[in-house]
Amino acid sequence: MSCYDAMEAVLHDETLIESAAVHGRWQVRYAAAMAIAQHPEPRWLPVLHNMLVIESTRPLYTQPVVQFSVGTGDTRMAEQIGPIDVTFDSAYDEATKDAWRCRGRVRQAVLFAIASIGVADNELLAVLHGFLADPKEDFAVKAATARALGVIAHPDSVPFLQIAQQFDEWCTNREATNALQRIKS
Amino acid sequence: MQPLLLEHIAQVRIQISASEQHGGRHAELWKLIKSSARSAPFDFPWFTPFVALITQDARDIANAADVIRRYVGKLDSMYFSTGLQFHFWCFAFPHAKWCMYFQWLCTIGAFDDEEAQQIAAQLIEYHFVNFLYGLRTKPEPDCVDNQALSLALSTTLVGYIFTQAPYQSRMAEIMRDEGLRRLPIMIGDMPPSGYSGEGSSYMDCVNGPAIPLAIELMQRITGQSNLLHQQFTANGATPYRILLMVAREWMPGGLLLPWDNYGYQFGVRAPLAYAAHVTGEALFTDILMNDTIWSYDIGTGWAYDDLVWTLIWWPHQHATSTPTVSRSWFEPTVGGALVSDNRDYYVMQMWDESTPVVPTRSHVNPNAVLFNGYGVPLSADGSPIPAGVARFRFADTVRRVNFLTMGQEDEYNYGDGCGGAHSIIVVDGWEGLRLQGDGAQYQHPHADLTQHTLGCDVAPTYQERWPDIRQVLRRTTLCAQRFFVIEDYCQSDDLHTWTTRFLLRPDFVACTDGVKIQTPEGVTLQLMPVLVPAQITTEAVSGHPAKPDGRCGIADFHYHGTTHHQLTLAWIAQTRVLGGQICQFAAIADYADGLNEITARQQLAQSALRLDLQLPAHMEADVPAVKRWWYHTLIPDWGDAGWIKLPVGMMSPQIWLNGVAVDMRPYGVSGELIAPQIAIPTDCRTGDALDLLLCVDVPISHYEGGGDGTIGLTGGVWLMHPIDEDALIACTWAENQLHVRSTSGEYWIPYHLSA
């Protein structure tokens, strides 16, 4: 089954979520998290937690600067058509490159799924707090974490959200501010 | 299956065919698009699918299908780019456009079923993991800007396309629903003025072009009609208001307001065409037909297809007349413009809110004024040259962030967004004026456009730092359809230094009172204090703003006290007038870039091709799209002309006048926006023909501008003649009357000071 078909399948059939959540392709795991958000129930929390564990083993943020056959990789690439080739500074295995493609996408989808469920145990909360405390984490993950913590509204999250509020990125800053207001109310 | 948003394709084909027979602007535009796509289908890929759809020609269809394949072929590489990973909205909008063009091509059989399914799967999956992801990073309901609008619209569009047969994708369904949930809110939560605060670049190149697509798409999905005037949220903007603000950003001469971020630029056409088509309002048609530049090509929503959509939405029923309407406007939460009936005199005063703390986009410009005279910009505003400049780099306006570029910390200065970089009142010398809190920034905006006056009190902007300041009122008035009066009335409890600042285009020239500039185009602006004397200082600034001159002059009028009440007269005049147009240049293409002045002259003497330099050659005649062109003419009768006005937008121009090379370096940047005027040497004698030889490059790809768009030469060649300047002599105010004398007139104008 192609990656596309596996993604479509899990979004059509809830019974496929558990297997899709540990699928070898991150796109399918991303779709699994989206499927959970369509069926938000606490029973998925262990599955979601495990998905974050899988992501924690991947080198999501280690990509070196690469060279492109056209352009420099900035926003001006948006308007181009191909062919555009990419050259790495060294040979990397496909799993590593796949992690670089993914970065925080699966994490974000998992976080929004947790937000849709609205609860988390202490162990899962600690993972979420870790995202906010990690200076190397992508802002998309930090922002999603802040939103999820705002929905969960646990007072232990306050100092972590206050850290996120200091982060100089607008989405994260705003989500953290909104989350703190939600917790305080 | 019909092409999305072009279900009336048969009618469009008939209209294009008819206009090919009859000529006119619509036909010229189609010719431009078709010849570009046919001569270089992969250099003008954003034209190619539309051309295939119209012509249904096998070669055009094959080229268009290859464009789609090439686009899909680049997708994986983009994962490793900073652009896709951190600036995904720039990629989302063009991705959605390519999905639509893929759908169009499927309606004319460009792909077999198997390939179509494969391509569709790649397009759907890519949007789902990249741009639905991107849309969800944007906080709700807080985030309303060009980025979030792009993401919401593109997600709706891709979702809608691929929920249709034969795809019926569940991913697409999720995207359609999520996009459609957020898209109306994104539009409705724009400020009621329609101005997002992001400056002309984002209003004109993203928000404006997004609106017609969003309306047409939502109408198809929901079955509703007339969404142009729908208010989607309480107290928010209607789509119409956004398009109206896009139109209001146009100044006489065709440049957009330089406010709030990137500075002067040309405008795009499709939002105007759509608004004219749907509303029939003269303002939109007037700008579209009279002020637009057709050889300008830039990404709208990061897609170079503005001309395609202009053609699609062409206001056939309104385009034959070119009405002129008042260009003055007033928007209580933004500002307003006063424009003389002949459009020679223009001023805009703004009080749109700035972004607190870090004013990157929405600059701190409380009551700033911008002048334009005879279609030429006179004020300076915008952003510095890319290397940055020290002038507006303050100790506390440098920011370092690690989320803009992969694996790298970026440093940038937002000092040019602070108050001192604008034509405002600077208090106690604090040029870094900006706010920290979210409070009100202005009060009591008012206007009476029948009396040609508008104003606002921006004291709240200053009160955060100086609570004793009670009023910072500025009122601007157009008097006698000839000149402007700027009244500043500031009051405070403590003593302050009040500096009325003007950022102006170069260069300062001598005058008897106040300050005066004369631009390279020969337009002058004199600013004269009227009520009380001022201590005046001037300063030349290099590197700010980047366009049009890469420099500016600052004129400061200094005052001190608890009250500052002053009238400043703004007097605009011209020192040259347009003469006759020089047409019928002998022209040749330089295919191998191998000609020089001598060999080009030899070939030009043999050429039967005659062109007017109104547009790049391949847009003006049935000639191939070639990068370099040579033109030559003899001008036998030039009278007392002192200058030759050349086309705007010439790339790498080389000019020889009477065999002598003209130094074009002074126009290296400004020539992109303002037609250069080269002086006829004083040793040329009337009666002797002028020999004019030009070598000019034209863009033969969307991409030659490096992401900033391209412009091909436009506007033709004209003689310019000197005239006696209607210069300002004196201005006084007494007994509620202004008395103004100039070299050719005298004015007695009733003027009551603000109480």
Side-chain angles (χ1 to χ4, degrees), chain B residues 317-333:
Chain B
Q317 67 275 42
H318 308 294
T320 49
S321 64
T322 53
T324 54
V325 294
S326 171
R327 293 285 183 86
S328 295
W329 59 271
F330 167 68
E331 194 60 52
T333 59

Side-chain angles (χ1 to χ4, degrees), chain B residues 23 33 54 85 175-176 299 324 349 389 392 602 662 692 705 751:
Chain B
I33 292 168
I54 296 299
Q85 293 292 355
M175 290 192 284
R176 179 200 60 194
T324 54
Q349 181 179 332
V389 293
F392 298 114
Q602 292 165 351
V662 178
L692 182 59
Y751 190 96

Side-chain angles (χ1 to χ4, degrees), chain B residues 595-614:
Chain B
L595 299 179
N596 58 38
E597 183 197 352
I598 296 167
T599 54
R601 281 183 186 278
Q602 292 165 351
Q603 293 192 22
L604 282 161
Q606 307 299 318
S607 174
L609 179 63
R610 293 291 180 273
L611 297 173
D612 293 343
L613 286 89
Q614 289 284 6

Side-chain angles (χ1 to χ4, degrees), chain B residues 457-492:
Chain B
D457 179 1
V458 292
T461 294
Y462 296 84
Q463 285 165 343
E464 188 177 271
R465 175 130 172 181
W466 298 285
D468 66 293
I469 289 180
R470 288 181 279 119
Q471 176 175 285
V472 183
L473 174 73
R474 172 166 282 179
R475 178 165 65 125
T476 300
T477 304
L478 168 64
C479 299
Q481 292 287 321
R482 179 60 187 88
F483 57 89
F484 299 102
V485 172
I486 299 166
E487 179 181 359
D488 288 324
Y489 190 10
C490 308
Q491 296 183 88
S492 60

Side-chain angles (χ1 to χ4, degrees), chain A residues 8 30 34 38 63 73 76-80 82 84 101 103 105 108 112 140 147 168 174-175 178, chain B residues 46 70 74 76-77 80 83 85 90 128-130 133 136 142 169-171 302 399 403 703 706:
Chain A
E8 284 287 313
Y30 177 89
M34 298 292 286
Q38 309 277 313
Q63 185 195 311
R76 287 170 288 191
M77 308 288 272
E79 302 140 356
Q80 304 273 347
I84 300 175
R101 290 183 182 94
R103 295 184 73 92
R105 285 167 178 71
Q108 187 218 44
F112 284 137
R147 197 185 306 177
D168 188 12
R174 189 52 62 117
E175 293 283 17
N178 290 347
Chain B
W46 290 96
R70 289 182 184 213
K74 85 156 191 179
D76 188 59
S77 294
F80 305 103
Q85 293 292 355
C90 306
F128 194 68
V129 300
N130 289 299
Y133 154 83
R136 301 205 314 165
D142 319 66
S169 159
R170 176 63 184 141
M171 280 189 268
W302 304 275
R399 189 178 178 213
F403 53 83
Y703 303 118

Side-chain angles (χ1 to χ4, degrees), chain B residues 183-258:
Chain B
L183 182 56
I185 302 168
M186 209 65 72
I187 297 170
D189 278 352
M190 288 270 177
S193 65
Y195 181 50
S196 70
E198 299 170 282
S200 293
S201 288
Y202 292 104
M203 280 298 291
D204 198 64
C205 287
V206 185
N207 296 337
I211 290 303
L213 292 170
I215 293 166
E216 293 295 320
L217 182 62
M218 286 193 289
Q219 288 182 166
R220 279 160 179 76
I221 297 175
T222 65
Q224 296 172 284
S225 59
N226 201 27
L227 291 184
L228 183 62
H229 296 285
Q230 178 81 31
Q231 192 166 34
F232 295 103
T233 62
N235 304 318
T238 63
Y240 170 80
R241 298 290 295 181
I242 297 170
L243 294 181
L244 184 61
M245 184 52 74
V246 165
R248 286 169 164 176
E249 288 184 319
W250 288 74
M251 297 186 301
L255 294 176
L256 305 183
L257 285 170

Side-chain angles (χ1 to χ4, degrees), chain B residues 420-681:
Chain B
H422 302 86
S423 298
I424 67 161
I425 291 176
V426 177
V427 175
D428 293 345
W430 187 39
E431 296 185 331
L433 173 70
R434 62 191 183 281
L435 291 163
Q436 297 298 317
D438 287 325
Q441 298 184 17
Y442 60 87
Q443 58 195 4
H444 314 311
H446 59 278
D448 182 346
L449 293 185
T450 64
Q451 298 298 312
H452 311 291
T453 187
L454 55 84
C456 189
D457 179 1
V458 292
T461 294
Y462 296 84
Q463 285 165 343
E464 188 177 271
R465 175 130 172 181
W466 298 285
D468 66 293
I469 289 180
R470 288 181 279 119
Q471 176 175 285
V472 183
L473 174 73
R474 172 166 282 179
R475 178 165 65 125
T476 300
T477 304
L478 168 64
C479 299
Q481 292 287 321
R482 179 60 187 88
F483 57 89
F484 299 102
V485 172
I486 299 166
E487 179 181 359
D488 288 324
Y489 190 10
C490 308
Q491 296 183 88
S492 60
D493 296 329
D494 302 330
L495 286 169
H496 292 288
T497 297
W498 311 90
T499 302
T500 298
R501 165 164 292 186
F502 298 99
L503 267 73
L504 304 166
R505 288 189 60 212
D507 285 300
F508 287 116
V509 293
C511 67
T512 53
D513 195 4
V515 296
K516 184 175 180 180
I517 60 158
Q518 179 166 330
T519 72
E521 302 79 31
V523 180
T524 64
L525 168 66
Q526 185 168 353
L527 297 159
M528 180 187 286
V530 177
L531 292 185
V532 293
Q535 179 203 347
I536 300 174
T537 58
T538 61
E539 173 189 357
V541 175
S542 181
H544 182 93
K547 292 182 179 181
D549 305 294
R551 61 197 177 100
C552 72
I554 296 178
D556 283 338
F557 296 56
H558 304 280
Y559 309 92
H560 190 73
T562 56
T563 297
H564 160 47
H565 201 171
Q566 177 66 293
L567 300 180
T568 304
L569 187 80
W571 181 270
I572 297 167
Q574 59 182 344
T575 61
R576 308 168 192 171
V577 289
L578 199 64
Q581 184 175 5
I582 312 302
C583 298
Q584 296 291 293
F585 283 74
I588 53 167
D590 188 350
Y591 288 93
D593 189 15
L595 299 179
N596 58 38
E597 183 197 352
I598 296 167
T599 54
R601 281 183 186 278
Q602 292 165 351
Q603 293 192 22
L604 282 161
Q606 307 299 318
S607 174
L609 179 63
R610 293 291 180 273
L611 297 173
D612 293 343
L613 286 89
Q614 289 284 6
L615 287 170
H618 67 277
M619 298 181 188
E620 202 171 42
D622 285 321
V623 295
V626 176
K627 184 152 194 65
R628 174 156 293 183
W629 288 82
W630 291 78
Y631 300 87
H632 176 254
T633 195
L634 289 172
I635 309 171
D637 180 15
W638 48 282
D640 70 340
W643 301 267
I644 298 174
K645 182 180 179 182
L646 298 168
V648 68
M650 296 188 296
M651 290 173 64
S652 309
Q654 300 175 71
I655 314 289
W656 290 265
L657 189 55
N658 288 350
V660 178
V662 178
D663 183 3
M664 295 300 290
R665 287 175 299 180
Y667 312 101
V669 177
S670 67
E672 294 175 15
L673 298 170
I674 304 168
Q677 296 179 19
I678 57 172
I680 296 172

Side-chain angles (χ1 to χ4, degrees), chain B residues 102-114:
Chain B
F102 165 73
Q103 191 270 352
W104 286 4
L105 294 176
C106 287
T107 68
I108 52 173
F111 307 98
D112 63 35
D113 289 349
E114 184 180 352

